[in-house]
Amino acid sequence: MSNGSERARLPSIRDVARLAGVSHQTVSRVLNDHPSIRPETKAKVLDAISVLDYRPNLAARALVTSKSNMLGILSATIGEFGPTSSIASIENAAREEGYSVSTLNLSDTTPEAIGNAVRQLAREQVDGIIVLAPQVRVFHVLRGMDVSMPFVTLQTASGSDGVSLSADQVAGARAATEHLIGLGHTDIVHLAGPQDWIEAESRMRGYLDALREADLPTFPPIRGDWTADFGFFAGQELARRRDFTAVFAANDLMAIGLLHGFRTAGVRVPDDISVVGFDDVPVAAHVAPTLTTVHQEFPELGRRAVKILLAQIRGEQVPTFGPLQTTLRLRESSGSR
């Protein structure tokens, strides 16, 4: 019975020490890459680890090294294409570096909820946090907290602390609007995102900048909620106005709903109205008409976030990245005039 139990249990650090002929403290030093270990001793320990197929206990290592080899993700966006793509990229990049990931999705962004989430990640002893929180109020709360661990944000906000990464939202929106102007449109409506969302404000700014530089009139923005349902409703309402010839929608889901709303109201796209979206979600290339949109490299944002956060954790020089460039993908919905 004891033999079966012995065969079933996983090898321990003491088993490695016994096979290598060293103390378990020496094995620990090898695992933590201590500079005082002689090369021949390190080789013996590594050979023993290989023979026994030993896997260090991460919790035990965390007690010794004060590192958990875990990164935290604090996300205030659930189910949206961009953040979901970035999170998948963060998980893959972290795994390649030997880190696991703990993700907390905020059901609301009240100061209490944000504080509780940060404290929960701290209790899990994560080594650093990546924040995917597009609402300005999230940064206000984080700035008022004593966040003692390194953190990186995937959006930028005026006065936000930590290291920030983003795509050039303003330039992307400007390019979308300039494309419509180049087609001859002078009356362009903006279907905007919700207030307090950083991306919504940046994309509106790019739209307004392009119109101002072209000396064209602006319409009051229509505030949406990022959903296709709202876009559908807006399309039906806008079809009754017809005091414009183009729409720049702040994201693809609203733009796709807009196409549906126009179609049911008898408005032809792009013959009557041109439409441009933002994000380049996969389905944008498969709707009818196919959607002209602004492409973002969401996975690259995730990879860069991990590189920056790990550099902070390891005390290395933190790499600097400029805003990721966006690309206008021309398809049928904008047409030509």
Side-chain angles (χ1 to χ4, degrees):
M1 186 175 193
S2 61
N3 288 339
S5 175
E6 188 70 21
R7 284 194 301 270
R9 75 174 179 85
L10 294 174
S12 70
I13 193 170
R14 294 185 183 277
D15 295 324
V16 174
R18 192 178 302 117
L19 182 60
V22 298
S23 68
H24 70 274
Q25 291 93 340
T26 298
V27 176
S28 179
R29 292 190 186 98
V30 170
L31 291 172
N32 293 299
D33 202 22
H34 197 283
S36 67
I37 299 297
R38 291 182 298 175
E40 57 270 24
T41 302
K42 182 176 181 179
K44 288 195 298 182
V45 171
L46 292 178
D47 286 343
I49 287 173
S50 177
V51 169
L52 295 172
D53 195 24
Y54 171 65
R55 295 290 183 267
N57 184 303
L58 292 181
R61 286 193 67 184
L63 292 175
V64 175
T65 65
S66 299
K67 301 295 183 185
S68 65
N69 279 24
M70 180 182 293
L71 305 181
I73 297 177
L74 182 60
S75 175
T77 59
I78 300 175
E80 295 175 21
F81 171 71
T84 300
S85 300
S86 293
I87 288 173
S89 177
I90 290 168
E91 291 174 342
N92 290 334
R95 192 177 303 114
E96 289 174 0
E97 293 287 343
Y99 281 74
S100 58
V101 172
S102 175
T103 302
L104 282 183
N105 290 305
L106 293 172
S107 57
D108 63 68
T109 52
T110 62
E112 182 181 10
I114 297 167
N116 288 339
V118 171
R119 283 187 286 272
Q120 181 175 333
L121 289 173
R123 285 194 298 271
E124 294 180 17
Q125 297 183 318
V126 299
D127 296 333
I129 300 176
I130 297 173
V131 183
L132 291 90
Q135 299 92 343
V136 175
R137 61 184 176 274
V138 174
F139 293 100
H140 290 164
V141 175
L142 288 173
R143 192 166 62 246
M145 296 181 64
D146 182 17
V147 182
S148 58
M149 68 190 76
F151 73 93
V152 178
T153 66
L154 261 66
Q155 287 81 20
T156 55
S158 178
S160 65
D161 293 335
V163 180
S164 299
L165 286 169
S166 68
D168 198 336
Q169 311 277 329
V170 175
R174 182 197 293 266
T177 309
E178 288 175 346
H179 168 64
L180 292 171
I181 294 170
L183 292 174
H185 294 285
T186 57
D187 299 300
I188 304 169
V189 169
H190 181 43
L191 184 53
Q195 285 185 329
D196 192 50
W197 283 63
I198 297 163
E199 293 101 326
E201 298 307 313
S202 297
R203 295 170 195 182
M204 185 186 299
R205 187 176 131 206
Y207 158 79
L208 292 173
D209 286 350
L211 291 182
R212 185 165 44 250
E213 290 178 9
D215 198 24
L216 293 177
T218 59
F219 291 82
I222 301 169
R223 287 284 186 181
D225 62 2
W226 299 127
T227 67
D229 284 344
F230 185 90
F232 176 79
F233 168 78
Q236 292 189 313
E237 292 295 311
L238 285 170
R240 299 187 180 100
R241 285 175 40 178
R242 302 296 292 273
D243 57 349
F244 61 96
T245 59
V247 180
F248 166 48
N251 80 329
D252 285 349
L253 288 183
M254 290 195 297
I256 289 169
L258 189 74
L259 295 178
H260 185 197
F262 280 157
R263 186 167 59 251
T264 60
V267 176
R268 298 170 302 165
V269 177
D271 296 338
D272 300 325
I273 304 292
S274 292
V275 175
V276 176
F278 205 109
D279 284 339
D280 197 19
V281 301
V283 74
H286 302 287
V287 295
T290 56
L291 181 64
T292 293
T293 184
V294 178
H295 177 78
Q296 298 190 77
E297 289 291 342
F298 293 110
E300 179 60 20
L301 275 177
R303 288 189 288 269
R304 290 185 178 187
V306 172
K307 288 180 180 178
I308 288 176
L309 189 59
L310 291 185
Q312 290 180 305
I313 291 168
R314 294 165 176 169
E316 301 170 350
Q317 182 174 353
V318 176
T320 56
F321 298 106
L324 273 172
Q325 298 303 303
T326 52
T327 307
L328 187 64
R329 293 281 174 87
L330 299 179
R331 299 191 181 108
E332 296 169 346
S333 67
S334 57
S336 59
R337 296 176 72 80

